[in-house]
Amino acid sequence: MKIRTKLPIVFTAPTMAALAVLAFVPTIDAINIALQNRDLSNPDSLYVGFANFRALIDDPRFLNSVSVSVAWEILTVAATMLVAVPLAILLFETTPPAVRNGLCVLFIVPALLPRVSAAFVWRFAFHPLFGLAVYPLRLITGQPIDLLANPHTAMFTVAIVDVWQWGLLFAVIVVKLLETLPRQPFEAAKLDHARTWEIYAYIAIPMLQAPLISLVFVKMVESLRAFDLIYVMTRGGPGIATETLDMYAFSQGFIESGRISYASSMAVLMMAATTIAFTVLWRWARRWRET
Amino acid sequence: MARNVSKTIGRGVVAIAALLVIIPLFWTLLSAFKNRVDIVTPTPMLFFTPTLDNVLYVLERESVRAGLINSIIVSGCSVLIGAIFGLPCAYAVARYPMRVADDIQFFVLSLRFLPPVAIAIPLIVIWLDVGLYDSRIALIVTYSLLTLSTTIWLAIPAFKRVPQEIEEAAFVDGYGPYAIFFLIALPAAAKSLIGAIVFSFVLVWNEFLIALMLTTSDAKTLPIVASEMTQLGRDVPWGILNASVILLSLPPLLFLGVLSSFLSSALKTRKQG
């Protein structure tokens, strides 16, 4: 259909202009603030060049938060996929369609909950004295166990909640993807006496390679913003054992010292890292689609 | 025989996963109706005398009411802005050949990838300078970035799924391009579009970090108020906290049906398209 109309301009231009303002004003200002020595309590500020970035390199707490973020990223992405794919296969193999659809609705529930709610539900369940989740441990050992106050277990405990929300949601997505696959390759493999796990390892999962990889990307981005969960469950503690980058930037810029310029330099680094990663992934995904 | 055994084990694992969803939520619901003495027990109590105290306390608190009103206004307005400006934009990208269509999609999706803390920190300074810090307007404008990008991203495939022949037939019948959008495309894609809009609502209703950093008292949203319940006294008032968790979680859960069928249809057509 060929119509001469200004509709595309009328419909896109105002929205894109608004989005551009909303997105670029904060990002450019983030860079601007990062180059100053601005303090929340003091409106006067000077340009100090890259002093904030130089200070970051020598800040052990910043380096700690980078390694905590990397550990969190690897732990939650891996755990989410390791829960989602096997659970989806089990759902697909062992439950009749009606039950499966019901369970799929149920498994979406945790992801719909506000992260604050999910964090409180589990903080309550992990309470050392009367938490339901640690009750069996309490029975066996006879003493209260505070998983969130122990630097060795705190991150794993928070990660459980993250996987509770995302692993189950992804399991539902993978089930729906399995349902769209054609049946013939499966039946052919069964005739050849392939075992169930072989069918999935060599046929189903390779067929779903592209969507599974995009799920990994989605989770990588999502794991970067686990702030709410960590804020409610541990506040970065015990000590700085679960202090991720965004948690540290928040406490530098907001709670402890109001060093907004210093926090902003961290924000700029995070933005640069995600923008580069995203651009590379986008190019890569497009090539994937075209082949 | 072996096949049956492994099937039973598989079902067992699935059942455990289901229980892991149900039990914590059910326990939270129960504890919202428990007196303090029934919560603070070394052995978990399943049977107890229920009380409405926690729920009433939460509903009667001034901060909760203010937070509820703020949350409703802020998410309502930003979702509306996202729909009014996002849907036409998505339609134009989906239907009209534009040289920049790909760039628009890239830009919109990249916004979803920006770390919220990176936006929130400069916005503290910007809103302080303009004098709108801790106001609903500041939050609505900031959230519009989220709702616009989400709505556009999800609505593009929804419009593409509308069969082009319907719109061509309408064109032959003398409909103009704008009439085709409002009278044909919008109603035809309505179901998926509602899913997209609801999704953007859940996103801003649940949003925490930006609200935490951009509000201090007047414009606090419900998640912030709920997170502050732990600071009520020396002991964490778990009954009250559980009641506020329930209140906070109800709106997104109301849309469980809409979102779950949105997810199914989005994934189904993905394969054919």
Side-chain angles (χ1 to χ4, degrees):
Chain A
M1 135 175 96
K2 278 216 185 286
I3 318 169
R4 282 189 146 268
T5 170
K6 287 204 169 66
L7 180 138
I9 298 290
V10 174
F11 274 9
T12 53
T15 310
M16 294 319 289
L19 268 182
V21 170
L22 285 174
F24 288 131
V25 168
T27 41
I28 291 168
D29 207 41
I31 299 170
N32 182 29
I33 298 167
L35 298 175
Q36 304 175 19
N37 61 351
R38 189 154 172 174
D39 217 295
L40 269 188
S41 51
N42 179 8
D44 300 322
S45 60
L46 292 167
Y47 280 91
V48 293
F50 290 95
N52 288 314
F53 294 94
R54 275 199 295 274
L56 279 178
I57 303 171
D58 294 326
D59 182 349
R61 222 174 131 185
F62 168 72
L63 299 176
N64 169 75
S65 71
V66 172
S67 68
V68 169
S69 288
V70 171
W72 169 261
E73 192 76 8
I74 296 169
L75 176 66
T76 52
V77 173
T80 299
M81 297 313 289
L82 287 176
V83 166
V85 175
L87 183 62
I89 293 173
L90 285 177
L91 265 171
F92 190 64
E93 277 292 314
T94 63
T95 54
V99 179
R100 195 193 306 154
N101 287 340
L103 284 172
C104 280
V105 175
L106 179 70
F107 286 158
I108 296 176
V109 170
L112 276 189
L113 291 183
R115 292 216 122 185
V116 175
S117 297
F120 273 126
V121 165
W122 283 95
R123 205 178 125 186
F124 185 51
F126 286 124
H127 193 282
L129 294 176
F130 43 87
L132 191 62
V134 286
Y135 177 60
L137 285 176
R138 222 166 36 234
L139 272 188
I140 297 166
T141 60
Q143 47 191 332
I145 295 171
D146 199 341
L147 293 172
L148 288 170
N150 181 336
H152 300 292
T153 54
M155 190 192 281
F156 285 97
T157 314
V158 181
I160 289 175
V161 186
D162 190 65
V163 175
W164 184 66
Q165 290 197 285
W166 287 91
L168 295 178
L169 173 69
F170 279 15
V172 173
I173 295 176
V174 177
V175 166
K176 306 273 179 204
L177 290 171
L178 285 173
E179 285 172 351
T180 62
L181 289 181
R183 300 303 306 161
Q184 295 91 323
F186 288 79
E187 279 150 18
K190 263 187 196 144
L191 287 178
D192 289 339
H193 300 290
R195 292 159 203 264
T196 312
W197 71 266
E198 288 172 329
I199 294 179
Y200 282 97
Y202 298 120
I203 301 173
I205 292 182
M207 281 169 96
L208 290 176
Q209 200 175 11
L212 285 180
I213 290 175
S214 25
L215 281 182
V216 170
F217 291 151
V218 170
K219 184 57 193 138
M220 280 166 67
V221 175
E222 182 48 50
S223 285
L224 271 181
R225 47 184 79 190
F227 179 88
D228 340 16
L229 209 54
I230 293 171
Y231 180 84
V232 171
M233 292 190 77
T234 65
R235 296 243 168 159
I240 49 174
T242 57
E243 190 172 73
T244 50
L245 256 176
D246 47 6
M247 193 73 214
Y248 183 46
F250 169 74
S251 64
Q252 279 297 311
F254 213 62
I255 316 177
E256 283 166 32
S257 35
R259 291 166 73 195
I260 201 85
S261 280
Y262 194 54
S264 202
S265 64
M266 281 184 253
V268 169
L269 285 185
M270 286 175 79
M271 243 170 349
T274 39
T275 310
I276 293 168
F278 179 71
T279 314
V280 171
L281 295 179
W282 174 266
R283 295 250 169 87
W284 185 84
R286 267 224 338 221
R287 209 175 313 145
W288 189 288
R289 264 201 318 236
E290 279 158 12
T291 48
Chain B
M1 203 16 217
R3 188 147 278 238
N4 274 338
V5 171
S6 58
K7 198 162 196 177
T8 314
I9 295 174
R11 282 192 177 155
V13 174
V14 170
I16 291 172
L19 288 177
L20 280 176
V21 177
I22 296 168
I23 293 176
L25 296 179
F26 178 67
W27 198 248
T28 305
L29 186 65
L30 272 192
S31 303
F33 296 99
K34 278 181 180 174
N35 278 309
R36 194 181 148 69
V37 284
D38 296 324
I39 293 177
V40 194
T41 53
T43 322
M45 294 232 308
L46 195 51
F47 301 101
F48 58 92
T49 329
T51 170
L52 278 176
D53 286 357
N54 300 322
V55 178
L56 291 178
Y57 181 87
V58 166
L59 290 178
E60 278 165 9
R61 257 185 94 81
E62 203 52 53
S63 64
V64 172
R65 282 192 191 171
L68 191 61
I69 292 170
N70 283 336
S71 266
I72 291 170
I73 292 177
V74 167
S75 27
C77 290
S78 53
V79 167
L80 212 62
I81 292 173
I84 291 173
F85 290 94
L87 294 184
C89 180
Y91 175 72
V93 172
R95 269 295 181 257
Y96 287 87
M98 276 190 288
R99 266 179 299 125
V100 290
D102 218 37
D103 297 323
I104 291 180
Q105 294 201 48
F106 170 79
F107 175 57
V108 166
L109 188 63
S110 71
L111 292 180
R112 288 293 307 130
F113 278 63
L114 274 185
V117 72
I119 303 181
I121 289 174
L123 277 173
I124 297 175
V125 180
I126 293 171
W127 292 124
L128 275 173
D129 289 348
V130 199
L132 283 173
Y133 184 74
D134 192 22
S135 72
R136 286 177 199 151
I137 294 177
L139 263 192
I140 291 171
V141 172
T142 312
Y143 279 176
S144 297
L145 183 66
L146 301 182
T147 54
L148 274 171
S149 54
T150 316
T151 314
I152 295 174
W153 182 250
L154 293 174
I156 290 174
F159 278 122
K160 279 192 174 153
R161 257 177 263 150
V162 175
Q164 194 134 19
E165 297 82 55
I166 309 182
E167 290 175 40
E168 277 160 12
F171 177 64
V172 172
D173 287 348
Y175 281 76
Y178 295 93
I180 291 178
F181 168 68
F182 284 109
L183 301 175
I184 311 292
L186 266 190
K191 212 176 154 223
S192 299
L193 294 180
I194 289 172
I197 292 167
V198 165
F199 186 87
S200 76
F201 166 77
V202 171
L203 212 65
V204 289
W205 179 271
N206 293 356
E207 206 289 324
F208 181 75
L209 194 160
I210 294 175
L212 181 70
M213 294 178 90
L214 293 187
T215 62
T216 46
S217 56
D218 297 346
K220 267 188 214 164
T221 55
L222 201 53
I224 311 298
V225 175
S227 80
E228 282 168 354
M229 289 277 174
T230 48
Q231 296 156 6
L232 279 178
R234 264 202 301 130
D235 300 317
V236 176
W238 283 108
I240 293 165
L241 198 57
N242 281 316
S244 58
V245 162
I246 304 271
L247 175 70
L248 177 63
S249 311
L250 275 181
L253 290 182
L254 285 180
F255 295 112
L256 178 62
V258 178
L259 286 172
S260 121
S261 57
F262 175 66
L263 188 69
S264 301
S265 66
L267 289 171
K268 239 172 233 147
T269 38
R270 180 201 168 93
K271 204 64 201 172
Q272 295 148 7

